[in-house]
Amino acid sequence: MGADRVAVVTGAGSGLGRAISQALGGDGWSVVLTGRREEPLRRTAGSLPDGGATSMVVPADVGSPESVQALFSEVGRRYGRLDLLVNNAGTFGPSASPADVTYEEWRSTVDVNLTGSFLCAQAAFRMMRDQRPQGGRIINNGSLSAHTPRPNSIAYTATKHAITGLTKSLSLDGRRYGIACGQIDIGNAATEMTAAMSAGVPQADGSIAVEPTTDADHVARAVLYMAGLPLEANVLSMTVMATAMPFVGRG
């Protein structure tokens, strides 16, 4: 299909967002790179195979309805349609006991991880419903925390459980419009956000242990596979994780 495929990737300035954008760009997608800071987005654009010539940088705050509306209005103005949204922007939030998490920390985590994903999905859903030909795909970045928590991660874990509900509702409500929605749950992809894994992170038994990681490019290729399916097929849920990380079983 070539460059007529248009994708929006949130949190595209670093880590998984950059790797996913590079994979999509390498497959001929026009990628709308969005995140809060313009400079990292420009660096991602420059790393795309065509130097970002067919793509676009649009700084936006996914937690702001006005900012999200402006983002998708710009997508419509430039490309006239949208084929893929990758809801990747997220934050770990506070690492603290439930007794010590402040309201501001809780709200900030929910605003980015859950409200931001909803606002972007809502705007994408509207575009995909109204465009001709109709339809498109939304891929939500979940987490292994969508299945089971780490210690001291109540805000992050709650939002990632909520992402699963968001994914299923979008998948159900999108059927009549040809909109597919899936979720990729990621464990220990090596990015700036997971750098602490190499120094050791808290375990459920109270110990500190170094955990293995896996290359972010494996996640990007998984997203590329999901994105490349025809709209009559969908990966509702996929898990990509470091094989030996303490998730399955008892550690």
Side-chain angles (χ1 to χ4, degrees):
M1 287 184 287
D4 58 335
R5 296 173 297 170
V6 180
V8 170
V9 180
T10 69
S14 63
L16 286 171
R18 178 170 290 171
I20 291 166
S21 300
Q22 290 168 339
L24 290 168
D27 194 47
W29 290 75
S30 295
V31 188
V32 180
L33 308 163
T34 190
R36 291 187 178 184
R37 296 181 297 134
E38 183 170 356
E39 184 179 344
L41 297 174
R42 294 288 177 194
R43 288 198 293 269
T44 297
S47 73
L48 299 183
D50 64 354
T54 63
S55 298
M56 181 170 62
V57 168
V58 185
D61 177 0
V62 298
S64 163
E66 296 78 14
S67 187
V68 170
Q69 182 178 356
L71 163 65
F72 284 87
S73 293
E74 187 64 16
V75 174
R77 185 197 65 77
R78 168 77 181 268
Y79 299 105
R81 66 174 292 106
L82 175 64
D83 301 286
L84 174 67
L85 165 66
V86 182
N87 255 332
N88 169 72
T91 178
F92 279 145
S95 178
S97 162
D100 299 323
V101 174
T102 67
Y103 172 77
E104 291 75 19
E105 290 171 329
W106 170 269
R107 182 62 184 268
S108 175
T109 308
V110 171
D111 283 350
V112 175
N113 292 359
L114 180 56
T115 303
S117 292
F118 164 71
L119 291 173
C120 289
Q122 181 183 55
F125 195 102
R126 287 170 175 160
M127 284 190 68
M128 293 169 180
R129 178 196 63 189
D130 296 341
Q131 65 195 10
R132 296 294 183 270
Q134 195 175 57
R137 189 179 305 274
I138 298 169
I139 300 175
N140 292 323
N141 185 341
S143 168
L144 296 193
S145 287
H147 304 274
T148 191
R150 286 187 177 277
N152 297 328
S153 66
I154 192 166
Y156 180 78
T157 296
T159 60
K160 292 305 183 178
H161 273 70
I163 289 295
T164 300
L166 184 73
T167 297
K168 291 180 178 179
S169 287
L170 288 166
S171 180
L172 176 60
D173 295 336
R175 286 177 184 174
R176 64 185 295 185
Y177 306 115
I179 299 171
C181 184
Q183 178 169 326
I184 183 164
D185 294 329
I186 302 162
N188 289 14
T191 68
E192 297 92 329
M193 288 181 68
T194 59
M197 302 291 177
S198 61
V201 290
Q203 305 296 303
D205 63 1
S207 65
I208 301 294
V210 173
E211 292 190 12
T213 59
T214 190
D215 197 296
D217 286 342
H218 301 314
V219 177
R221 287 199 294 270
V223 171
L224 193 62
Y225 167 72
M226 295 168 74
L229 290 171
L231 290 177
E232 60 265 24
N234 186 38
V235 176
L236 180 64
S237 178
M238 178 190 288
T239 300
V240 178
M241 56 181 277
T243 303
M245 69 176 292
F247 172 67
V248 177
R250 295 179 181 266

